[in-house]
């Protein structure tokens, strides 16, 4: 649910800024997104959270304000990717990548977090490249330098993966030590 | 004094970026602001700081570098609200709201801080809506979607309230335990 | 090496955004920068790191993720200075200055760090003013308000100095106590 709602909030930024445009027809829209988008982001959030719990035991505890801050951080980066529309891609990509690293560091700089971030970056970017190639949606002409998608996209997915992993940790059933 | 100076620094950003424009006449200007503006922000800072001390005892100690960082954070967000001028309001608002949550978290994620932030958001936004309706100043046509003011304004005031509360804590007379 | 690579990444943002332009001829280019630029930034990074170790003993330990986050932070600010191109200089400068203070605070708010940042700000900005006056390169007409260079330049160099000092601490030979 968190992932789906966050996906809707972030995606409307890309649509209203003209960064991305939906091409396929026949899907109902939710706000500015086609229905499958929030479902995909929501499932991805759950999948990454599950993955995190399978990789390694959860050590870093936290409270709900950690989760809120993690969600705020990734939505802020998502908004930045919409706001740099029309600006040179080089510094925009450097900014998003730098922020993604800072989010990873602020959320504990953990190895499992980095693994989840890298997997999200690879799977998410590849999925979007395939969907763009299939004509489902497209990036604007000045933001499609990475095989049809934006060059900052892997960094955005990395931050998403790190945050989803952290949410998985926070929502995990609390195993009490012996 | 800190609040008044900070208000001047932030407001010049809104004026030079064309986000806001003063309409009323008969007030002397200080830098880019009409005289009443820094007085109002300064008084508001003191009021929120006082409010913080009345809500709950101060627990989190800190030094002057905490205060400096808190001021830097809210001025940075203030500057962002000027720099997103002309960009879509959706992602601009998401960015400012995300940053406001991150500031609250970085300053301790305290309940009294959140209360001060919410009160500042409600009182500040309402005051500006009334002043815009009274013709004292106005927001640009592409930044007035929230009853005449910008939709990111409550988040900016929230961050202001959180920071003013933190300054109140830091400047409070140090009650020595025991 | 880190400084030289970081300089190249940051400088391409200024060149592609049109913030700065190289005027001198006869130098080979590396990516978007003239050869002397990464060499100068690399030497400056080493010099500030050395300076840090001479000012005061190193107390705050850290691991490589601290260094990575410090580099990410200064590159993110560097990117912001390219992305605010064409926007009013007032809020752009406030934003960069605020971020520089936050980086200093996040890296420990240390006095030696602040000293290194201030020296970097003075030496770096002065050097660029002299080079602009000598016709080696130039800032865009709408970004040269500070004696020919951008008004956010001292804050960018301050952040650079703070980060280089932190890298010096992290890479210092570990003197074991006792």
């Amino acid at each position: 649910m968190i992932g789906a709602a966050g996906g809707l909030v972030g995606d409307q930024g890309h649509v209203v800024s003209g960064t991305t445009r939906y091409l396929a027809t026949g899907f109902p829209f939710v706000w500015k997104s086609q229905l499958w988008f929030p479902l995909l982001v929501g499932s991805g959030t759950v999948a990454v959270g599950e993955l995190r719990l399978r990789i390694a035991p959860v050590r870093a505890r936290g409270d709900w304000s950690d989760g809120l801050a993690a969600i705020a951080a990734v939505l802020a980066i998502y908004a930045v990717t919409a706001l740099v529309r029309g600006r040179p891609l080089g510094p925009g990509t450097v900014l998003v990548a730098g922020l993604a690293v800072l989010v990873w560091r602020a959320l504990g700089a953990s190895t499992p977090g980095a693994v989840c971030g890298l997997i999200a970056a690879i799977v998410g970017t590849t999925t979007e490249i395939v969907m763009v190639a299939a004509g489902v949606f497209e990036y604007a002409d000045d933001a499609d330098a990475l095989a049809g998608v934006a060059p900052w996209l892997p960094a955005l997915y990395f931050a998403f993966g790190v945050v989803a992993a952290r949410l998985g940790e926070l929502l995990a059933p609390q195993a009490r030590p012996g």
Side-chain angles (χ1 to χ4, degrees), chain A:
Chain A
M1 293 290 293
I2 292 171
L8 285 177
V9 171
D11 195 40
Q12 60 87 20
H14 281 175
V15 172
V16 298
S17 66
T19 306
T20 55
R21 199 155 62 88
Y22 285 99
L23 299 175
T25 53
F27 291 101
F29 274 77
V30 184
W31 198 1
K32 304 279 186 182
S33 307
Q34 284 187 349
L35 179 59
W36 53 266
F37 183 79
L39 297 179
L40 211 58
V41 178
S43 319
T45 309
V46 173
V48 173
E50 278 289 328
L51 174 70
R52 167 63 191 86
L53 300 181
R54 275 153 210 272
I55 288 178
V58 173
R59 265 190 289 263
R61 291 268 165 261
D63 59 19
W64 66 270
S65 76
D66 293 297
L68 187 65
I71 297 165
V74 76
L75 287 181
I77 296 180
Y78 211 148
V80 165
T81 63
L83 292 167
V84 297
R85 167 88 169 93
R87 304 261 141 186
L89 282 174
T93 303
V94 171
L95 176 59
V96 175
L99 294 175
V101 169
L102 292 175
V103 165
W104 169 72
R105 181 70 183 71
L107 295 184
S110 75
T111 305
V115 169
C116 289
L118 286 174
I119 290 175
I122 294 168
V123 174
T125 307
T126 308
T127 305
E128 291 213 13
I129 288 173
V130 170
M131 294 180 91
V132 165
V136 180
F137 61 93
E138 66 173 6
Y139 278 78
D141 283 350
D142 59 355
D144 65 353
L146 183 69
V149 305
W152 39 252
L153 195 64
L156 175 59
Y157 271 109
F158 178 84
F160 162 75
V162 169
V163 165
R166 185 77 183 111
L167 294 178
E169 289 176 3
L170 292 169
L171 296 172
Q174 307 277 329
R176 293 185 175 279

